[in-house]
Amino acid sequence: MILKFLRLFKIVRVAVRYGLDDIAMSGFDTPRISKLIDTLIFWRDISAPRGERLRMALEELGPIFVKFGQVLSTRRDLLPGDMVDELARLQDRVPPFSSELAIAQIEKSLKAHPDDLFAGFEREPVASASIAQVHFATLKNGKEVAVKVLRPGMKKSIDEDVALMHIAAGLVEKLWADGRRLKAREVVGEFDKYLHDELDLMREAANGSQLRRNFADSELLVVPEMYWDYCSPSVIVMERMHGIPISQLDRLRDAGVDLGKLSRDGVEIFFTQVFRDGFFHADMHPGNILVSVAPATFGRYIALDFGIVGTLNDFDKDYLSQNFLAFFQRDYKRVAEAHIESGWAPKETRVDELESAVRACCEPIFDRPLKDISFGQVLLRLFQTSRRFNVEVQPQLVLLQKTLLNVEGLGRQLDPDLDLWKTAKPHLERWMSEQLGWRGLIQQLKIEMPRYSKLLPQLPRLAHQALTQVVEPKTEQNNELMWRLIAEQRQTNRFLGMLVYVGGGLAAGVLLTLLYLRFAHMIWW
């Protein structure tokens, strides 16, 4: 209890020192309370911009609050731009914990000392963050690996700090005019789940394994292999990757890497993850990306750190693709219709009003060349406009927008002339074709065919059972069986009808093609 009180006292002291109360009081209609506090605490200096003061306060409060700031930096739909931009500068500057603690954690998790598990284990960590740190090692078969070890005592520390955050969030929503709009308790709850997910390193290993499988045959992206025999919730062991950090442009140029191609490949990787797989690496900042210079994989991206991933279902992908295509075709009516059809905008929303708001918000973007247009900013403007019409922005789309901004910034750092729209458009159009065209129909038939192949042989038996029971007194069970038969028959009729149309269309197409070729052949000769 005393430790919790001391921690709370430190949080209050840091908040007062950096004038966080001044930021909060700015939401009140009257400045009297703020002026009274400034008079009482006259010695503090709060002349720095509010975003900078917030960032410095979080850094002083420690790694958990730094993580919280990083999560807040993704919520451009909730916080002002100047604060979000400053929070985006937050980095995990955490000193490594001792090698003895790392060895004890490995021994506890894997039931063996690192010297017994590995042929060699480097005591000095190569990377350290708020949640875990990484050591290099060598397996007994000679393979080089990276060992990620969870920081000891993290769960207790997280639980204590997050509990205080929940209390603070409740006060913010009660006392601050914008507290409810900012959904303070919801944001803290999201952060709580995010942190506890990161505490389970098996989740990260599973995410990395899924991404590796998705890009198994890719010539663009390399993902390290996970060694499951050495993985646990507190320790994971993966293939060691060799490459140049993507932020070191001079080294990449000296190695002969084509930066223009690298920037385009990054965009293709991202949109492939989003629209093909619906599963994307959501923490693609430069610290998590290397570029391979090995002969076999030269110039390919190397992805690291899979603690944060995003998932999209077909509904989300359809929403995004339709909106992006409509935006860049300046079809604002279609953008408005997509919002209402998705159910995210209230049904009573007038299409023309939403269309007008979207046009006023986004038309100025198109005064610039397409290569200068930011996809992330387009999505951000869309979210901001949507909020005025009580549209609930989905968390997975906010995560996607944050990742898209990272990808854009990285791509244009590599190649300032990158035309993101030109690079991304084929992926959007291909996905739309696969979902709405012949490819989509064939794919759906492949998915449904096993179900119908099991159902069709049962129809004669079901029909016989129904007919033999017609003469019996009508009971609830008989009625249920009859309605089931009718429903199955209707579904089968629709399926057979679709097969007739598809088969007839294909046959007609083949016949017309043959006639055309024969006629052309006769004319030619």
Side-chain angles (χ1 to χ4, degrees):
M1 188 67 183
I2 296 176
L3 291 177
K4 288 184 179 180
F5 176 78
L6 292 175
R7 180 62 171 161
L8 181 61
F9 177 76
K10 180 181 179 180
I11 292 171
V12 172
R13 179 178 60 80
V14 172
V16 170
R17 177 184 173 188
Y18 289 101
L20 302 191
D21 57 287
D22 182 68
I23 298 174
M25 293 299 175
S26 63
F28 287 102
D29 295 330
T30 173
R32 292 179 181 176
I33 299 177
S34 181
K35 288 182 178 179
L36 176 62
I37 293 175
D38 287 341
T39 302
L40 293 175
I41 316 174
F42 59 88
W43 61 85
R44 65 178 179 177
D45 180 11
I46 55 173
S47 58
R50 61 180 183 177
E52 182 180 341
R53 286 186 278 127
L54 177 59
R55 174 180 60 79
M56 293 170 66
L58 294 176
E59 287 177 339
E60 185 167 330
L61 288 172
I64 306 304
F65 284 83
V66 167
K67 280 282 185 186
F68 184 57
Q70 290 173 335
V71 171
L72 285 179
S73 71
T74 70
R75 301 306 302 265
R76 289 179 177 267
D77 58 320
L78 298 180
L79 293 180
D82 61 318
M83 296 176 71
V84 170
D85 290 339
E86 194 66 38
L87 290 177
R89 298 177 57 191
L90 284 169
Q91 297 181 8
D92 291 339
R93 299 186 181 92
V94 183
F97 53 91
S98 70
S99 59
E100 288 76 14
L101 285 176
I103 290 172
Q105 184 78 293
I106 294 171
E107 193 167 9
K108 178 182 177 182
S109 300
L110 303 182
K111 310 303 180 185
H113 194 279
D115 292 338
D116 298 326
L117 288 169
F118 307 108
F121 179 80
E122 296 184 13
R123 262 55 176 175
E124 288 298 317
V126 294
S128 176
S130 56
I131 298 295
Q133 70 184 30
V134 177
H135 295 256
F136 286 151
T138 306
L139 296 180
K140 292 185 177 180
N141 61 9
K143 291 185 178 179
E144 294 182 326
V145 295
V147 183
K148 190 168 187 176
V149 186
L150 190 70
R151 188 174 286 269
M154 284 303 300
K155 187 178 186 306
K156 181 181 178 183
S157 176
I158 286 173
D159 288 342
E160 291 175 352
D161 278 353
V162 171
L164 295 175
M165 288 181 184
H166 278 292
I167 296 172
L171 293 175
V172 165
E173 289 196 357
K174 289 180 180 179
L175 300 177
W176 193 15
D178 277 347
R180 289 187 179 180
R181 183 186 69 78
L182 294 178
K183 302 177 182 178
R185 284 182 292 184
E186 181 182 318
V187 171
V188 172
E190 181 183 328
F191 174 64
D192 191 357
K193 178 180 179 299
Y194 157 78
L195 268 185
H196 281 87
D197 284 350
E198 272 206 307
L199 286 176
D200 184 358
L201 295 186
M202 286 292 283
R203 284 178 177 266
E204 178 177 344
N207 292 339
S209 181
Q210 176 71 54
L211 192 63
R212 177 182 171 84
R213 186 162 59 252
N214 290 348
F215 284 83
D217 301 321
S218 172
E219 296 185 357
L220 302 177
L221 179 66
V222 180
V223 180
E225 179 184 359
M226 298 292 166
Y227 295 101
W228 293 106
D229 291 341
Y230 302 91
C231 291
S232 74
S234 301
V235 178
I236 58 175
V237 177
M238 69 190 81
E239 178 185 3
R240 179 177 174 180
M241 308 306 291
H242 297 273
I244 299 174
I246 199 167
S247 57
Q248 298 182 11
L249 302 185
D250 291 337
R251 285 186 63 191
L252 291 174
R253 290 191 190 95
D254 294 341
V257 176
D258 183 344
L259 298 188
K261 180 180 183 301
L262 196 63
S263 66
R264 294 189 297 272
D265 288 350
V267 175
E268 182 174 346
I269 289 169
F270 174 74
F271 280 93
T272 299
Q273 291 181 65
V274 170
F275 289 104
R276 187 194 69 183
D277 305 325
F279 183 90
F280 61 95
H281 190 305
D283 201 16
M284 292 183 68
H285 62 75
N288 288 338
I289 301 173
L290 304 177
V291 179
S292 175
V293 291
T297 56
F298 184 83
R300 297 184 194 178
Y301 280 77
I302 299 173
L304 303 172
D305 195 345
F306 313 101
I308 309 175
V309 298
T311 56
L312 301 173
N313 57 33
D314 287 341
F315 185 85
D316 296 327
K317 292 187 282 187
D318 183 61
Y319 165 84
L320 286 169
S321 58
Q322 288 197 44
N323 272 284
F324 278 140
L325 289 171
F327 259 113
F328 286 96
Q329 293 166 0
R330 304 197 187 194
D331 186 356
Y332 301 120
K333 183 178 181 181
R334 182 62 201 134
V335 174
E337 289 173 344
H339 274 68
I340 297 172
E341 289 170 4
S342 69
W344 294 344
K347 291 183 178 179
E348 63 272 13
T349 304
R350 289 183 51 175
V351 173
D352 58 335
E353 290 182 354
L354 183 54
E355 176 189 358
S356 177
V358 172
R359 180 183 296 108
C361 186
C362 297
E363 188 66 20
I365 294 175
F366 293 100
D367 289 338
R368 293 175 287 170
L370 277 175
K371 69 181 182 64
D372 295 333
I373 294 175
S374 165
F375 257 72
Q377 291 298 333
V378 166
L379 201 59
L380 173 59
R381 285 174 178 265
L382 176 62
F383 292 166
Q384 291 172 334
T385 302
S386 300
R387 191 169 64 237
R388 291 171 45 199
F389 290 85
N390 298 317
V391 175
E392 288 292 330
V393 177
Q394 305 301 302
Q396 68 271 25
L397 296 185
V398 175
L399 190 61
L400 177 112
Q401 182 255 339
K402 169 253 187 185
T403 307
L404 188 50
L405 284 172
N406 284 343
V407 171
E408 277 187 323
L410 185 60
R412 286 182 172 145
Q413 182 182 1
L414 296 168
D415 180 11
D417 294 325
L418 173 67
D419 189 335
L420 195 69
W421 172 237
K422 182 179 178 181
T423 307
K425 186 179 179 182
H427 298 281
L428 298 174
E429 292 178 334
R430 185 187 309 128
W431 189 85
M432 293 290 285
S433 173
E434 290 174 351
Q435 295 300 306
L436 304 179
W438 281 102
R439 294 180 186 176
L441 175 61
I442 293 171
Q443 186 64 27
Q444 282 300 114
L445 286 175
K446 287 181 180 179
I447 295 172
E448 294 292 342
M449 191 63 72
R451 183 165 169 259
Y452 284 114
S453 66
K454 182 180 180 181
L455 173 66
L456 287 172
Q458 299 179 28
L459 285 178
R461 177 174 55 80
L462 291 173
H464 181 266
Q465 289 177 355
L467 291 172
T468 55
Q469 293 176 11
V470 167
V471 294
E472 298 177 3
K474 290 185 178 180
T475 62
E476 184 177 345
Q477 182 178 4
N478 291 337
N479 289 336
E480 182 181 351
L481 181 61
M482 180 62 71
W483 284 114
R484 180 184 170 192
L485 176 63
I486 293 172
E488 296 287 0
Q489 187 63 50
R490 286 176 178 171
Q491 194 170 24
T492 303
N493 289 341
R494 285 196 297 270
F495 173 70
L496 292 175
M498 183 167 58
L499 283 181
V500 169
Y501 280 119
V502 173
L506 289 174
V510 171
L511 181 60
L512 289 173
T513 301
L514 290 173
L515 289 173
Y516 171 76
L517 292 174
R518 184 176 180 82
F519 180 71
H521 181 74
M522 291 173 62
I523 293 177
W524 177 260
W525 290 103

